Amino acid sequence: MKAVISVIGKDTVGILAAVSTVCAEANANVQDVTQSILGDIFAMIMVVDISKCNLELSELRAHLETLGQERGLQINLMHEDIFNSMHRI
């Protein structure tokens, strides 16, 4: 099982590290990352394997949302199945 994490906000040092740390603490394995900096805006999408995650998806989402609030970022977590359903033609 996989999930998609998106992060948008003002670019600051350590965003990737902070999000990766939350994932690692939950045993969610980061499989792919893409990030861009547009002016001073940071944008990132991560694909994480949640099959061995030690938290419920809602708990991981809450941890990421708390991190986002602390750092002034918009962080969203979506199960891969929902993501794929939303983007089917």
Side-chain angles (χ1 to χ4, degrees):
M1 292 189 298
K2 295 181 184 175
V4 177
I5 299 171
S6 62
V7 181
I8 298 174
K10 183 169 173 43
D11 185 36
T12 58
V13 173
I15 296 172
L16 176 60
V19 175
S20 296
T21 297
V22 171
C23 291
E25 289 171 350
N27 204 39
N29 186 37
V30 177
Q31 294 187 324
D32 201 1
V33 177
T34 183
Q35 65 179 29
S36 295
I37 300 171
L38 310 164
D40 65 345
I41 303 298
F42 177 89
M44 176 174 69
I45 298 174
M46 302 176 101
V47 176
V48 296
D49 180 349
I50 56 170
S51 60
K52 296 180 182 175
C53 191
N54 56 27
L55 298 175
E56 294 293 325
L57 199 59
S58 60
E59 293 174 302
L60 178 55
R61 182 180 294 116
H63 285 279
L64 290 167
E65 288 173 353
T66 298
L67 174 65
Q69 291 169 356
E70 292 169 354
R71 297 195 61 143
L73 302 167
Q74 179 67 43
I75 303 178
N76 295 302
L77 172 83
M78 187 179 304
H79 193 281
E80 179 186 39
D81 292 342
I82 294 172
F83 181 85
N84 288 334
S85 293
M86 287 177 54
H87 294 90
R88 265 194 204 120
I89 296 177

